[in-house]
Amino acid sequence: MQVHGCIQKGRFAENLFVQSALVDLHAKCGKMEDARYWFETMSERDMVSWNVMIGGYAVQGFADDSFRMFRSMMREGFIPDGFTLGSVLRACAACSDLMKLNQTHGLIIQLGFGSHNALTGSLIDSYAKCERVGSAYDLYKSMPAKDIISCTSLIIGCARKRNHSRDALDRFKEIIQMHMEMDEVIFCSMINICGNIASLSLGRQIHAFALKVQPCYDVAMGNALIDMYAKCGEIEDANRAFDEMEEKNVISWTSLIAGYGKHGFGHKAIALLRRWNMKG
C-alpha cells in the first residue's frame, strides 16, 4: 500500500510502464482482484498490461477469466503475441477445453506462429493434458528441433494413457540418444509407466539410470519407485525405497501399505499403519 501511495502522489501516477508494473506485482502475488482493479483504472493500456492480466489469470487457475480477458483484448483491436497465446494455451490445458484449444491452435497458425518452438511445446502440453496424445505426437514430429520441454510434455501425456506406454518409451530413448538433460519429472513418468505395465527389468534400469543422473531424489520420485516395485511384486524393494526417503507424504505411506496388502503381507500393512499413526 505504501508503494501505491507513493505512485498516486508522485509524478508516475499516469505512467503506463509504472501502472503495468503495479498490475504485474499484484498478479504475481496472486492478488488478481487487486490486479483487475488497477488494470481497470488505467486510462491507457498496452500489450504488456493485457498480457499481465491474461497470464495472471491463467497461472492462478482462473481459466474462464483468462479467456474473457483475451476476448476483451481482441475486441479492443490488439493482436495477440507469443506471450498472449502461451497464456491462453495454459488456460486451455488447465480446464482441458479441447474446443478452445483447437480455436487457439488455429489462431496461432493464422498469426504466423506455427513454427514458434515455444508455442509448439505449449500446444503439445495442452493437447496431452486434453488427452489428445495423437495430436500432441503429430505436433512433436513436425518440430524441426526437438527440446526437452516438448519431449517431457509428450511423455507425461503418454504416461496418463496406458495404451501409449510404448510411445513414451520411444520418446525416452530419443532423449537419451539426443543427450538431453533429464529431470525428475521425466524419471517419475517413466517409473510410473513401468509400474503400469509391470515391467520390472525396465523399471530397475531406469531407477539405476536416474541414480546416476541425480543421486538424490525427491518425494515424488520416491513415491513412484514404491508404487512401481509394489505393482511388480517386489515388495522388499518397495520397502527399501520407502526407507531411503528422507521425507515422506501420505502417498508414500499409503502406497506401501497397499502394496503389503495386495501381496499378502497383511500383518506388515497393519504394522506400518500403526507406525504411521504414531508419527501423527
Side-chain angles (χ1 to χ4, degrees), residues 184-196 203 206-207 210 217-232 237-238 241-242 245 249 251-252 255-256:
E184 284 158 341
V185 176
I186 291 179
F187 287 125
C188 280
S189 297
M190 295 309 303
I191 292 292
N192 285 330
I193 288 171
C194 292
N196 290 337
I206 293 175
H207 184 187
Y217 48 80
D218 63 7
V219 176
M221 184 67 176
N223 290 344
L225 288 168
I226 294 167
D227 182 65
M228 184 271 290
Y229 282 123
K231 284 179 177 176
C232 292
D237 285 326
F242 179 85
M245 293 175 69
N249 62 13
I251 297 173
S252 318
S255 295
L256 188 55

PDB file of all heavy atoms in Angstrom, residues 184-196 203 206-207 210 217-232 237-238 241-242 245 249 251-252 255-256:
ATOM      1  N   GLU A 184      13.623 -34.948 -12.772  1.00  0.00           N
ATOM      2  CA  GLU A 184      12.837 -35.928 -12.031  1.00  0.00           C
ATOM      3  C   GLU A 184      11.442 -36.121 -12.603  1.00  0.00           C
ATOM      4  O   GLU A 184      10.826 -37.170 -12.408  1.00  0.00           O
ATOM      5  CB  GLU A 184      12.747 -35.505 -10.554  1.00  0.00           C
ATOM      6  CG  GLU A 184      14.042 -35.783  -9.809  1.00  0.00           C
ATOM      7  CD  GLU A 184      14.209 -34.926  -8.553  1.00  0.00           C
ATOM      8  OE1 GLU A 184      13.528 -33.896  -8.443  1.00  0.00           O
ATOM      9  OE2 GLU A 184      15.028 -35.301  -7.712  1.00  0.00           O
ATOM     10  N   VAL A 185      10.927 -35.109 -13.306  1.00  0.00           N
ATOM     11  CA  VAL A 185       9.590 -35.233 -13.906  1.00  0.00           C
ATOM     12  C   VAL A 185       9.576 -36.370 -14.922  1.00  0.00           C
ATOM     13  O   VAL A 185       8.669 -37.210 -14.941  1.00  0.00           O
ATOM     14  CB  VAL A 185       9.163 -33.908 -14.574  1.00  0.00           C
ATOM     15  CG1 VAL A 185       7.820 -34.083 -15.288  1.00  0.00           C
ATOM     16  CG2 VAL A 185       9.074 -32.792 -13.552  1.00  0.00           C
ATOM     17  N   ILE A 186      10.602 -36.411 -15.783  1.00  0.00           N
ATOM     18  CA  ILE A 186      10.692 -37.474 -16.782  1.00  0.00           C
ATOM     19  C   ILE A 186      10.880 -38.826 -16.109  1.00  0.00           C
ATOM     20  O   ILE A 186      10.202 -39.804 -16.448  1.00  0.00           O
ATOM     21  CB  ILE A 186      11.853 -37.203 -17.766  1.00  0.00           C
ATOM     22  CG1 ILE A 186      11.540 -35.998 -18.640  1.00  0.00           C
ATOM     23  CG2 ILE A 186      12.119 -38.429 -18.639  1.00  0.00           C
ATOM     24  CD1 ILE A 186      12.619 -35.637 -19.614  1.00  0.00           C
ATOM     25  N   PHE A 187      11.798 -38.890 -15.143  1.00  0.00           N
ATOM     26  CA  PHE A 187      12.052 -40.166 -14.472  1.00  0.00           C
ATOM     27  C   PHE A 187      10.809 -40.675 -13.744  1.00  0.00           C
ATOM     28  O   PHE A 187      10.500 -41.865 -13.792  1.00  0.00           O
ATOM     29  CB  PHE A 187      13.220 -40.032 -13.496  1.00  0.00           C
ATOM     30  CG  PHE A 187      14.567 -39.921 -14.164  1.00  0.00           C
ATOM     31  CD1 PHE A 187      15.415 -38.858 -13.898  1.00  0.00           C
ATOM     32  CD2 PHE A 187      14.985 -40.876 -15.078  1.00  0.00           C
ATOM     33  CE1 PHE A 187      16.649 -38.753 -14.519  1.00  0.00           C
ATOM     34  CE2 PHE A 187      16.217 -40.777 -15.709  1.00  0.00           C
ATOM     35  CZ  PHE A 187      17.049 -39.723 -15.429  1.00  0.00           C
ATOM     36  N   CYS A 188      10.082 -39.783 -13.095  1.00  0.00           N
ATOM     37  CA  CYS A 188       8.848 -40.176 -12.396  1.00  0.00           C
ATOM     38  C   CYS A 188       7.834 -40.745 -13.380  1.00  0.00           C
ATOM     39  O   CYS A 188       7.198 -41.777 -13.107  1.00  0.00           O
ATOM     40  CB  CYS A 188       8.227 -38.972 -11.681  1.00  0.00           C
ATOM     41  SG  CYS A 188       8.996 -38.583 -10.108  1.00  0.00           S
ATOM     42  N   SER A 189       7.679 -40.077 -14.508  1.00  0.00           N
ATOM     43  CA  SER A 189       6.725 -40.536 -15.514  1.00  0.00           C
ATOM     44  C   SER A 189       7.110 -41.917 -16.040  1.00  0.00           C
ATOM     45  O   SER A 189       6.253 -42.800 -16.204  1.00  0.00           O
ATOM     46  CB  SER A 189       6.645 -39.544 -16.678  1.00  0.00           C
ATOM     47  OG  SER A 189       6.158 -38.301 -16.239  1.00  0.00           O
ATOM     48  N   MET A 190       8.389 -42.110 -16.307  1.00  0.00           N
ATOM     49  CA  MET A 190       8.846 -43.393 -16.833  1.00  0.00           C
ATOM     50  C   MET A 190       8.710 -44.505 -15.793  1.00  0.00           C
ATOM     51  O   MET A 190       8.319 -45.637 -16.127  1.00  0.00           O
ATOM     52  CB  MET A 190      10.303 -43.287 -17.301  1.00  0.00           C
ATOM     53  CG  MET A 190      10.520 -42.356 -18.476  1.00  0.00           C
ATOM     54  SD  MET A 190       9.414 -42.664 -19.883  1.00  0.00           S
ATOM     55  CE  MET A 190       9.772 -44.380 -20.236  1.00  0.00           C
ATOM     56  N   ILE A 191       9.015 -44.197 -14.545  1.00  0.00           N
ATOM     57  CA  ILE A 191       8.847 -45.190 -13.475  1.00  0.00           C
ATOM     58  C   ILE A 191       7.372 -45.562 -13.328  1.00  0.00           C
ATOM     59  O   ILE A 191       7.017 -46.737 -13.144  1.00  0.00           O
ATOM     60  CB  ILE A 191       9.402 -44.646 -12.135  1.00  0.00           C
ATOM     61  CG1 ILE A 191      10.930 -44.498 -12.202  1.00  0.00           C
ATOM     62  CG2 ILE A 191       9.008 -45.543 -10.980  1.00  0.00           C
ATOM     63  CD1 ILE A 191      11.693 -45.797 -12.290  1.00  0.00           C
ATOM     64  N   ASN A 192       6.488 -44.566 -13.431  1.00  0.00           N
ATOM     65  CA  ASN A 192       5.043 -44.836 -13.356  1.00  0.00           C
ATOM     66  C   ASN A 192       4.594 -45.754 -14.487  1.00  0.00           C
ATOM     67  O   ASN A 192       3.772 -46.654 -14.278  1.00  0.00           O
ATOM     68  CB  ASN A 192       4.255 -43.525 -13.403  1.00  0.00           C
ATOM     69  CG  ASN A 192       4.304 -42.761 -12.102  1.00  0.00           C
ATOM     70  OD1 ASN A 192       4.411 -43.362 -11.038  1.00  0.00           O
ATOM     71  ND2 ASN A 192       4.227 -41.447 -12.162  1.00  0.00           N
ATOM     72  N   ILE A 193       5.125 -45.526 -15.683  1.00  0.00           N
ATOM     73  CA  ILE A 193       4.782 -46.369 -16.833  1.00  0.00           C
ATOM     74  C   ILE A 193       5.244 -47.804 -16.588  1.00  0.00           C
ATOM     75  O   ILE A 193       4.506 -48.768 -16.860  1.00  0.00           O
ATOM     76  CB  ILE A 193       5.396 -45.805 -18.128  1.00  0.00           C
ATOM     77  CG1 ILE A 193       4.648 -44.537 -18.544  1.00  0.00           C
ATOM     78  CG2 ILE A 193       5.368 -46.831 -19.258  1.00  0.00           C
ATOM     79  CD1 ILE A 193       5.302 -43.775 -19.669  1.00  0.00           C
ATOM     80  N   CYS A 194       6.450 -47.947 -16.072  1.00  0.00           N
ATOM     81  CA  CYS A 194       6.966 -49.294 -15.779  1.00  0.00           C
ATOM     82  C   CYS A 194       6.068 -50.019 -14.777  1.00  0.00           C
ATOM     83  O   CYS A 194       5.846 -51.224 -14.886  1.00  0.00           O
ATOM     84  CB  CYS A 194       8.390 -49.208 -15.227  1.00  0.00           C
ATOM     85  SG  CYS A 194       9.602 -48.644 -16.447  1.00  0.00           S
ATOM     86  N   GLY A 195       5.553 -49.277 -13.804  1.00  0.00           N
ATOM     87  CA  GLY A 195       4.628 -49.871 -12.844  1.00  0.00           C
ATOM     88  C   GLY A 195       3.321 -50.275 -13.497  1.00  0.00           C
ATOM     89  O   GLY A 195       2.788 -51.355 -13.232  1.00  0.00           O
ATOM     90  N   ASN A 196       2.814 -49.416 -14.396  1.00  0.00           N
ATOM     91  CA  ASN A 196       1.536 -49.700 -15.059  1.00  0.00           C
ATOM     92  C   ASN A 196       1.602 -50.920 -15.971  1.00  0.00           C
ATOM     93  O   ASN A 196       0.613 -51.653 -16.110  1.00  0.00           O
ATOM     94  CB  ASN A 196       1.079 -48.483 -15.864  1.00  0.00           C
ATOM     95  CG  ASN A 196       0.652 -47.329 -14.976  1.00  0.00           C
ATOM     96  OD1 ASN A 196       0.286 -47.525 -13.820  1.00  0.00           O
ATOM     97  ND2 ASN A 196       0.717 -46.116 -15.502  1.00  0.00           N
ATOM     98  N   GLY A 203      12.047 -51.079 -15.228  1.00  0.00           N
ATOM     99  CA  GLY A 203      11.960 -50.196 -14.062  1.00  0.00           C
ATOM    100  C   GLY A 203      13.273 -50.119 -13.317  1.00  0.00           C
ATOM    101  O   GLY A 203      13.702 -49.045 -12.882  1.00  0.00           O
ATOM    102  N   ILE A 206      15.775 -47.993 -15.390  1.00  0.00           N
ATOM    103  CA  ILE A 206      15.505 -46.547 -15.301  1.00  0.00           C
ATOM    104  C   ILE A 206      15.851 -46.034 -13.907  1.00  0.00           C
ATOM    105  O   ILE A 206      16.392 -44.928 -13.753  1.00  0.00           O
ATOM    106  CB  ILE A 206      14.039 -46.248 -15.653  1.00  0.00           C
ATOM    107  CG1 ILE A 206      13.803 -46.560 -17.134  1.00  0.00           C
ATOM    108  CG2 ILE A 206      13.691 -44.789 -15.361  1.00  0.00           C
ATOM    109  CD1 ILE A 206      12.373 -46.428 -17.585  1.00  0.00           C
ATOM    110  N   HIS A 207      15.589 -46.834 -12.868  1.00  0.00           N
ATOM    111  CA  HIS A 207      15.954 -46.468 -11.498  1.00  0.00           C
ATOM    112  C   HIS A 207      17.464 -46.271 -11.395  1.00  0.00           C
ATOM    113  O   HIS A 207      17.940 -45.265 -10.853  1.00  0.00           O
ATOM    114  CB  HIS A 207      15.477 -47.551 -10.534  1.00  0.00           C
ATOM    115  CG  HIS A 207      15.708 -47.221  -9.100  1.00  0.00           C
ATOM    116  ND1 HIS A 207      15.488 -48.126  -8.064  1.00  0.00           N
ATOM    117  CD2 HIS A 207      16.167 -46.095  -8.494  1.00  0.00           C
ATOM    118  CE1 HIS A 207      15.775 -47.552  -6.917  1.00  0.00           C
ATOM    119  NE2 HIS A 207      16.206 -46.332  -7.142  1.00  0.00           N
ATOM    120  N   ALA A 210      18.500 -43.171 -13.283  1.00  0.00           N
ATOM    121  CA  ALA A 210      18.116 -41.961 -12.538  1.00  0.00           C
ATOM    122  C   ALA A 210      19.097 -41.674 -11.416  1.00  0.00           C
ATOM    123  O   ALA A 210      19.448 -40.514 -11.166  1.00  0.00           O
ATOM    124  CB  ALA A 210      16.703 -42.121 -11.979  1.00  0.00           C
ATOM    125  N   TYR A 217      16.922 -38.035  -4.785  1.00  0.00           N
ATOM    126  CA  TYR A 217      15.639 -37.773  -5.428  1.00  0.00           C
ATOM    127  C   TYR A 217      14.617 -37.276  -4.427  1.00  0.00           C
ATOM    128  O   TYR A 217      14.760 -37.448  -3.223  1.00  0.00           O
ATOM    129  CB  TYR A 217      15.121 -39.010  -6.177  1.00  0.00           C
ATOM    130  CG  TYR A 217      15.158 -40.315  -5.422  1.00  0.00           C
ATOM    131  CD1 TYR A 217      14.175 -40.625  -4.484  1.00  0.00           C
ATOM    132  CD2 TYR A 217      16.166 -41.251  -5.659  1.00  0.00           C
ATOM    133  CE1 TYR A 217      14.190 -41.826  -3.796  1.00  0.00           C
ATOM    134  CE2 TYR A 217      16.193 -42.458  -4.979  1.00  0.00           C
ATOM    135  CZ  TYR A 217      15.195 -42.742  -4.060  1.00  0.00           C
ATOM    136  OH  TYR A 217      15.214 -43.925  -3.382  1.00  0.00           O
ATOM    137  N   ASP A 218      13.565 -36.655  -4.956  1.00  0.00           N
ATOM    138  CA  ASP A 218      12.560 -36.018  -4.109  1.00  0.00           C
ATOM    139  C   ASP A 218      11.428 -36.978  -3.741  1.00  0.00           C
ATOM    140  O   ASP A 218      11.474 -38.176  -4.068  1.00  0.00           O
ATOM    141  CB  ASP A 218      12.012 -34.755  -4.760  1.00  0.00           C
ATOM    142  CG  ASP A 218      11.289 -35.043  -6.079  1.00  0.00           C
ATOM    143  OD1 ASP A 218      11.094 -36.238  -6.408  1.00  0.00           O
ATOM    144  OD2 ASP A 218      10.915 -34.088  -6.775  1.00  0.00           O
ATOM    145  N   VAL A 219      10.409 -36.454  -3.065  1.00  0.00           N
ATOM    146  CA  VAL A 219       9.290 -37.274  -2.591  1.00  0.00           C
ATOM    147  C   VAL A 219       8.548 -37.917  -3.757  1.00  0.00           C
ATOM    148  O   VAL A 219       8.190 -39.103  -3.697  1.00  0.00           O
ATOM    149  CB  VAL A 219       8.313 -36.419  -1.745  1.00  0.00           C
ATOM    150  CG1 VAL A 219       7.104 -37.236  -1.325  1.00  0.00           C
ATOM    151  CG2 VAL A 219       9.013 -35.861  -0.517  1.00  0.00           C
ATOM    152  N   ALA A 220       8.310 -37.149  -4.816  1.00  0.00           N
ATOM    153  CA  ALA A 220       7.565 -37.672  -5.968  1.00  0.00           C
ATOM    154  C   ALA A 220       8.274 -38.871  -6.585  1.00  0.00           C
ATOM    155  O   ALA A 220       7.635 -39.881  -6.928  1.00  0.00           O
ATOM    156  CB  ALA A 220       7.376 -36.573  -7.011  1.00  0.00           C
ATOM    157  N   MET A 221       9.593 -38.793  -6.706  1.00  0.00           N
ATOM    158  CA  MET A 221      10.370 -39.893  -7.264  1.00  0.00           C
ATOM    159  C   MET A 221      10.331 -41.103  -6.333  1.00  0.00           C
ATOM    160  O   MET A 221      10.168 -42.249  -6.777  1.00  0.00           O
ATOM    161  CB  MET A 221      11.816 -39.446  -7.497  1.00  0.00           C
ATOM    162  CG  MET A 221      12.688 -40.499  -8.158  1.00  0.00           C
ATOM    163  SD  MET A 221      12.198 -40.845  -9.861  1.00  0.00           S
ATOM    164  CE  MET A 221      13.493 -41.992 -10.320  1.00  0.00           C
ATOM    165  N   GLY A 222      10.467 -40.863  -5.054  1.00  0.00           N
ATOM    166  CA  GLY A 222      10.394 -41.949  -4.072  1.00  0.00           C
ATOM    167  C   GLY A 222       9.051 -42.653  -4.123  1.00  0.00           C
ATOM    168  O   GLY A 222       8.978 -43.888  -4.103  1.00  0.00           O
ATOM    169  N   ASN A 223       7.984 -41.873  -4.220  1.00  0.00           N
ATOM    170  CA  ASN A 223       6.637 -42.457  -4.307  1.00  0.00           C
ATOM    171  C   ASN A 223       6.470 -43.287  -5.573  1.00  0.00           C
ATOM    172  O   ASN A 223       5.840 -44.349  -5.550  1.00  0.00           O
ATOM    173  CB  ASN A 223       5.583 -41.351  -4.282  1.00  0.00           C
ATOM    174  CG  ASN A 223       5.474 -40.680  -2.926  1.00  0.00           C
ATOM    175  OD1 ASN A 223       5.950 -41.190  -1.922  1.00  0.00           O
ATOM    176  ND2 ASN A 223       4.860 -39.515  -2.893  1.00  0.00           N
ATOM    177  N   ALA A 224       7.016 -42.783  -6.683  1.00  0.00           N
ATOM    178  CA  ALA A 224       6.923 -43.519  -7.948  1.00  0.00           C
ATOM    179  C   ALA A 224       7.647 -44.857  -7.848  1.00  0.00           C
ATOM    180  O   ALA A 224       7.156 -45.887  -8.357  1.00  0.00           O
ATOM    181  CB  ALA A 224       7.511 -42.680  -9.084  1.00  0.00           C
ATOM    182  N   LEU A 225       8.796 -44.869  -7.184  1.00  0.00           N
ATOM    183  CA  LEU A 225       9.560 -46.113  -7.013  1.00  0.00           C
ATOM    184  C   LEU A 225       8.805 -47.112  -6.128  1.00  0.00           C
ATOM    185  O   LEU A 225       8.740 -48.309  -6.444  1.00  0.00           O
ATOM    186  CB  LEU A 225      10.939 -45.810  -6.407  1.00  0.00           C
ATOM    187  CG  LEU A 225      11.939 -45.130  -7.337  1.00  0.00           C
ATOM    188  CD1 LEU A 225      13.138 -44.614  -6.560  1.00  0.00           C
ATOM    189  CD2 LEU A 225      12.397 -46.097  -8.438  1.00  0.00           C
ATOM    190  N   ILE A 226       8.235 -46.624  -5.032  1.00  0.00           N
ATOM    191  CA  ILE A 226       7.449 -47.505  -4.147  1.00  0.00           C
ATOM    192  C   ILE A 226       6.308 -48.144  -4.929  1.00  0.00           C
ATOM    193  O   ILE A 226       6.083 -49.360  -4.877  1.00  0.00           O
ATOM    194  CB  ILE A 226       6.882 -46.715  -2.947  1.00  0.00           C
ATOM    195  CG1 ILE A 226       8.002 -46.226  -2.042  1.00  0.00           C
ATOM    196  CG2 ILE A 226       5.904 -47.584  -2.141  1.00  0.00           C
ATOM    197  CD1 ILE A 226       7.552 -45.189  -1.012  1.00  0.00           C
ATOM    198  N   ASP A 227       5.591 -47.313  -5.666  1.00  0.00           N
ATOM    199  CA  ASP A 227       4.439 -47.785  -6.434  1.00  0.00           C
ATOM    200  C   ASP A 227       4.852 -48.788  -7.506  1.00  0.00           C
ATOM    201  O   ASP A 227       4.209 -49.831  -7.684  1.00  0.00           O
ATOM    202  CB  ASP A 227       3.738 -46.584  -7.073  1.00  0.00           C
ATOM    203  CG  ASP A 227       2.490 -46.985  -7.849  1.00  0.00           C
ATOM    204  OD1 ASP A 227       1.542 -47.471  -7.216  1.00  0.00           O
ATOM    205  OD2 ASP A 227       2.462 -46.801  -9.077  1.00  0.00           O
ATOM    206  N   MET A 228       5.943 -48.495  -8.226  1.00  0.00           N
ATOM    207  CA  MET A 228       6.395 -49.368  -9.299  1.00  0.00           C
ATOM    208  C   MET A 228       6.819 -50.730  -8.766  1.00  0.00           C
ATOM    209  O   MET A 228       6.385 -51.774  -9.272  1.00  0.00           O
ATOM    210  CB  MET A 228       7.552 -48.707 -10.054  1.00  0.00           C
ATOM    211  CG  MET A 228       8.054 -49.483 -11.273  1.00  0.00           C
ATOM    212  SD  MET A 228       9.370 -50.706 -10.899  1.00  0.00           S
ATOM    213  CE  MET A 228      10.741 -49.611 -10.509  1.00  0.00           C
ATOM    214  N   TYR A 229       7.665 -50.735  -7.718  1.00  0.00           N
ATOM    215  CA  TYR A 229       8.139 -52.010  -7.174  1.00  0.00           C
ATOM    216  C   TYR A 229       6.996 -52.817  -6.562  1.00  0.00           C
ATOM    217  O   TYR A 229       6.940 -54.044  -6.692  1.00  0.00           O
ATOM    218  CB  TYR A 229       9.245 -51.776  -6.147  1.00  0.00           C
ATOM    219  CG  TYR A 229      10.589 -51.473  -6.765  1.00  0.00           C
ATOM    220  CD1 TYR A 229      11.284 -50.303  -6.465  1.00  0.00           C
ATOM    221  CD2 TYR A 229      11.167 -52.357  -7.674  1.00  0.00           C
ATOM    222  CE1 TYR A 229      12.513 -50.018  -7.047  1.00  0.00           C
ATOM    223  CE2 TYR A 229      12.397 -52.084  -8.259  1.00  0.00           C
ATOM    224  CZ  TYR A 229      13.065 -50.915  -7.943  1.00  0.00           C
ATOM    225  OH  TYR A 229      14.287 -50.644  -8.524  1.00  0.00           O
ATOM    226  N   ALA A 230       6.053 -52.135  -5.920  1.00  0.00           N
ATOM    227  CA  ALA A 230       4.901 -52.826  -5.336  1.00  0.00           C
ATOM    228  C   ALA A 230       4.042 -53.460  -6.427  1.00  0.00           C
ATOM    229  O   ALA A 230       3.610 -54.612  -6.305  1.00  0.00           O
ATOM    230  CB  ALA A 230       4.072 -51.854  -4.499  1.00  0.00           C
ATOM    231  N   LYS A 231       3.798 -52.725  -7.509  1.00  0.00           N
ATOM    232  CA  LYS A 231       2.980 -53.256  -8.609  1.00  0.00           C
ATOM    233  C   LYS A 231       3.657 -54.426  -9.309  1.00  0.00           C
ATOM    234  O   LYS A 231       2.985 -55.298  -9.878  1.00  0.00           O
ATOM    235  CB  LYS A 231       2.677 -52.151  -9.617  1.00  0.00           C
ATOM    236  CG  LYS A 231       1.604 -51.176  -9.159  1.00  0.00           C
ATOM    237  CD  LYS A 231       1.364 -50.087 -10.186  1.00  0.00           C
ATOM    238  CE  LYS A 231       0.235 -49.156  -9.743  1.00  0.00           C
ATOM    239  NZ  LYS A 231       0.048 -48.021 -10.679  1.00  0.00           N
ATOM    240  N   CYS A 232       4.997 -54.424  -9.282  1.00  0.00           N
ATOM    241  CA  CYS A 232       5.753 -55.505  -9.917  1.00  0.00           C
ATOM    242  C   CYS A 232       5.979 -56.684  -8.966  1.00  0.00           C
ATOM    243  O   CYS A 232       6.647 -57.660  -9.323  1.00  0.00           O
ATOM    244  CB  CYS A 232       7.102 -54.988 -10.426  1.00  0.00           C
ATOM    245  SG  CYS A 232       6.965 -53.829 -11.811  1.00  0.00           S
ATOM    246  N   ASP A 237      11.884 -54.346  -2.314  1.00  0.00           N
ATOM    247  CA  ASP A 237      12.470 -53.169  -2.986  1.00  0.00           C
ATOM    248  C   ASP A 237      11.610 -51.931  -2.736  1.00  0.00           C
ATOM    249  O   ASP A 237      12.133 -50.816  -2.584  1.00  0.00           O
ATOM    250  CB  ASP A 237      12.597 -53.423  -4.491  1.00  0.00           C
ATOM    251  CG  ASP A 237      13.739 -54.367  -4.825  1.00  0.00           C
ATOM    252  OD1 ASP A 237      14.757 -54.329  -4.113  1.00  0.00           O
ATOM    253  OD2 ASP A 237      13.618 -55.132  -5.789  1.00  0.00           O
ATOM    254  N   ALA A 238      10.287 -52.129  -2.711  1.00  0.00           N
ATOM    255  CA  ALA A 238       9.386 -51.018  -2.400  1.00  0.00           C
ATOM    256  C   ALA A 238       9.655 -50.506  -0.986  1.00  0.00           C
ATOM    257  O   ALA A 238       9.697 -49.295  -0.749  1.00  0.00           O
ATOM    258  CB  ALA A 238       7.927 -51.469  -2.530  1.00  0.00           C
ATOM    259  N   ALA A 241      12.931 -48.524  -0.945  1.00  0.00           N
ATOM    260  CA  ALA A 241      12.744 -47.169  -1.491  1.00  0.00           C
ATOM    261  C   ALA A 241      12.060 -46.278  -0.458  1.00  0.00           C
ATOM    262  O   ALA A 241      12.409 -45.097  -0.305  1.00  0.00           O
ATOM    263  CB  ALA A 241      11.903 -47.233  -2.770  1.00  0.00           C
ATOM    264  N   PHE A 242      11.110 -46.857   0.269  1.00  0.00           N
ATOM    265  CA  PHE A 242      10.397 -46.115   1.322  1.00  0.00           C
ATOM    266  C   PHE A 242      11.371 -45.695   2.432  1.00  0.00           C
ATOM    267  O   PHE A 242      11.368 -44.539   2.869  1.00  0.00           O
ATOM    268  CB  PHE A 242       9.287 -47.006   1.891  1.00  0.00           C
ATOM    269  CG  PHE A 242       8.492 -46.387   3.004  1.00  0.00           C
ATOM    270  CD1 PHE A 242       7.412 -45.553   2.739  1.00  0.00           C
ATOM    271  CD2 PHE A 242       8.816 -46.648   4.336  1.00  0.00           C
ATOM    272  CE1 PHE A 242       6.673 -44.996   3.773  1.00  0.00           C
ATOM    273  CE2 PHE A 242       8.086 -46.089   5.382  1.00  0.00           C
ATOM    274  CZ  PHE A 242       7.016 -45.261   5.094  1.00  0.00           C
ATOM    275  N   MET A 245      13.784 -42.751   1.757  1.00  0.00           N
ATOM    276  CA  MET A 245      13.227 -41.402   1.599  1.00  0.00           C
ATOM    277  C   MET A 245      13.448 -40.581   2.867  1.00  0.00           C
ATOM    278  O   MET A 245      13.070 -40.996   3.951  1.00  0.00           O
ATOM    279  CB  MET A 245      11.728 -41.478   1.287  1.00  0.00           C
ATOM    280  CG  MET A 245      11.411 -42.084  -0.059  1.00  0.00           C
ATOM    281  SD  MET A 245       9.620 -42.296  -0.322  1.00  0.00           S
ATOM    282  CE  MET A 245       9.088 -40.574  -0.467  1.00  0.00           C
ATOM    283  N   ASN A 249       5.261 -38.426   2.397  1.00  0.00           N
ATOM    284  CA  ASN A 249       3.934 -37.822   2.496  1.00  0.00           C
ATOM    285  C   ASN A 249       2.867 -38.922   2.543  1.00  0.00           C
ATOM    286  O   ASN A 249       3.207 -40.116   2.635  1.00  0.00           O
ATOM    287  CB  ASN A 249       3.685 -36.833   1.346  1.00  0.00           C
ATOM    288  CG  ASN A 249       3.725 -37.495  -0.021  1.00  0.00           C
ATOM    289  OD1 ASN A 249       3.705 -38.723  -0.150  1.00  0.00           O
ATOM    290  ND2 ASN A 249       3.776 -36.687  -1.062  1.00  0.00           N
ATOM    291  N   ILE A 251       1.009 -40.186   0.294  1.00  0.00           N
ATOM    292  CA  ILE A 251       1.115 -41.151  -0.809  1.00  0.00           C
ATOM    293  C   ILE A 251       2.186 -42.190  -0.514  1.00  0.00           C
ATOM    294  O   ILE A 251       2.010 -43.382  -0.820  1.00  0.00           O
ATOM    295  CB  ILE A 251       1.407 -40.418  -2.138  1.00  0.00           C
ATOM    296  CG1 ILE A 251       0.244 -39.485  -2.487  1.00  0.00           C
ATOM    297  CG2 ILE A 251       1.647 -41.402  -3.273  1.00  0.00           C
ATOM    298  CD1 ILE A 251       0.504 -38.582  -3.679  1.00  0.00           C
ATOM    299  N   SER A 252       3.291 -41.772   0.094  1.00  0.00           N
ATOM    300  CA  SER A 252       4.381 -42.706   0.424  1.00  0.00           C
ATOM    301  C   SER A 252       3.866 -43.820   1.329  1.00  0.00           C
ATOM    302  O   SER A 252       4.080 -45.020   1.065  1.00  0.00           O
ATOM    303  CB  SER A 252       5.526 -41.968   1.127  1.00  0.00           C
ATOM    304  OG  SER A 252       5.794 -40.728   0.541  1.00  0.00           O
ATOM    305  N   SER A 255       0.930 -45.998  -0.364  1.00  0.00           N
ATOM    306  CA  SER A 255       1.407 -46.854  -1.456  1.00  0.00           C
ATOM    307  C   SER A 255       2.028 -48.133  -0.911  1.00  0.00           C
ATOM    308  O   SER A 255       1.768 -49.234  -1.422  1.00  0.00           O
ATOM    309  CB  SER A 255       2.428 -46.114  -2.324  1.00  0.00           C
ATOM    310  OG  SER A 255       1.840 -45.030  -2.994  1.00  0.00           O
ATOM    311  N   LEU A 256       2.846 -47.990   0.118  1.00  0.00           N
ATOM    312  CA  LEU A 256       3.494 -49.174   0.684  1.00  0.00           C
ATOM    313  C   LEU A 256       2.489 -50.042   1.445  1.00  0.00           C
ATOM    314  O   LEU A 256       2.532 -51.277   1.364  1.00  0.00           O
ATOM    315  CB  LEU A 256       4.648 -48.765   1.601  1.00  0.00           C
ATOM    316  CG  LEU A 256       5.528 -49.913   2.116  1.00  0.00           C
ATOM    317  CD1 LEU A 256       6.087 -50.739   0.951  1.00  0.00           C
ATOM    318  CD2 LEU A 256       6.675 -49.384   2.978  1.00  0.00           C
TER     319      LEU A 256
END
